[in-house]
Amino acid sequence: MPGAGTVFLEIAWKFVKAVGVDEAITGRVEVKKLRPDKPICKIETSLRNGQGELCPTGAVAVLTVPLQGA
């Protein structure tokens, strides 16, 4: 995530709780806004540990550039 050809334009993460080595986590990514004029989107992200507690959370803005030959 987000994949080849993607450039991070803005990152705002808050680290609420530490995640331990070998600790199972569940990630959630939700596209919140797409720009109609450019391949830019705003995405909300979050990770939860095995107890369902919120760990890192935040938002990113990314630019997705088509790859040559794709």
Side-chain angles (χ1 to χ4, degrees), residues 4-18:
T6 301
V7 177
F8 282 88
L9 301 174
E10 183 179 326
I11 302 171
W13 285 328
K14 182 175 181 183
F15 293 86
V16 181
K17 185 172 183 67

Side-chain angles (χ1 to χ4, degrees), residues 5 7-8 14-15 20 24 26 29-30 38 45 54-55 57-58:
V7 177
F8 282 88
K14 182 175 181 183
F15 293 86
T26 301
V29 177
E30 184 177 355
K38 294 182 181 179
T45 62
L54 196 59
C55 297
T57 184

Side-chain angles (χ1 to χ4, degrees), residues 24-43:
I25 56 172
T26 301
R28 179 179 169 88
V29 177
E30 184 177 355
V31 176
K32 298 302 278 185
K33 183 178 180 182
L34 296 170
R35 278 188 56 170
D37 60 328
K38 294 182 181 179
I40 295 174
C41 65
K42 297 224 176 191
I43 302 170

